[in-house]
């Protein structure tokens, strides 16, 4: 039985679970184009791009659960693509900023991804 769970800081576990949940939410939004009143543009490009961002987010969460430095580095790369992808969604009009709710969702969602990346970087020494 592996004992790495006992050595994993609780904060890393929480961040990993949230990344997985947020990634799944992004995937759902990618395919349904609507999540709690926030919507994306209909179409294949929006679907694949949104679902891809969500997949990277969830994979990033799974990677940090391994508590390996190489996996944490890959997770940071995934989070970088999540942030860049969200910016591209806005820049291309696939995610509209037509309402306060839409703008709030993209700003807060992107900020959370950045905070997760900073947290992983600050906990770098926890990864083996």
């Amino acid at each position: 039985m592996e004992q790495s769970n006992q050595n994993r800081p609780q904060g890393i576990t929480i961040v990993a679970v949230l990344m997985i949940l947020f990634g799944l939410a992004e995937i759902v939004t990618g395919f349904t184009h609507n999540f709690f009143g926030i919507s994306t543009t209909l179409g294949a490009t929006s679907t694949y791009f949104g679902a891809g961002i969500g997949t990277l987010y969830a994979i990033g969460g799974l990677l940090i659960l391994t508590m390996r430095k190489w996996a944490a580095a890959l997770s940071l790369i995934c989070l970088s693509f999540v942030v860049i992808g969200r910016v591209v969604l806005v820049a291309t009009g696939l995610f509209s900023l037509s309402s306060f709710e839409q703008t709030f969702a993209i700003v807060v969602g992107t900020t959370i991804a950045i905070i997760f990346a900073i947290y992983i970087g600050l906990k770098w020494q926890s990864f083996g």
Side-chain angles (χ1 to χ4, degrees):
M1 189 177 266
E2 191 172 318
Q3 300 209 357
S4 66
N5 286 346
Q6 293 175 351
N7 297 330
R8 182 183 306 123
Q10 187 176 18
I12 290 175
T13 302
I14 291 169
V15 166
V17 169
L18 288 174
M19 287 173 63
I20 293 164
L21 291 174
F22 294 168
L24 294 174
E26 292 262 2
I27 292 168
V28 168
T29 304
F31 285 104
T32 64
H33 304 285
N34 194 350
F35 192 78
F36 292 117
I38 307 303
S39 61
T40 60
T41 305
L42 295 175
T45 302
S46 176
T47 298
Y48 297 130
F49 205 83
I53 289 171
T55 301
L56 287 172
Y57 216 158
I59 288 171
L62 290 170
L63 284 167
I64 64 169
L65 285 174
T66 68
M67 294 305 298
R68 303 282 186 238
K69 280 195 191 304
W70 65 265
L74 285 177
S75 179
L76 290 172
I77 292 168
C78 287
L79 283 170
S80 297
F81 280 115
V82 168
V83 171
I84 292 166
R86 293 172 70 85
V87 170
V88 169
L89 279 173
V90 171
T92 59
L94 295 174
F95 192 98
S96 171
L97 298 181
S98 60
S99 70
F100 173 77
E101 291 83 8
Q102 293 280 118
T103 304
F104 183 78
I106 196 73
V107 169
V108 170
T110 305
T111 301
I112 289 170
I114 292 167
I115 290 169
F116 287 162
I118 291 169
Y119 181 80
I120 293 167
L122 290 173
K123 293 293 186 180
W124 189 253
Q125 294 305 318
S126 298
F127 297 95

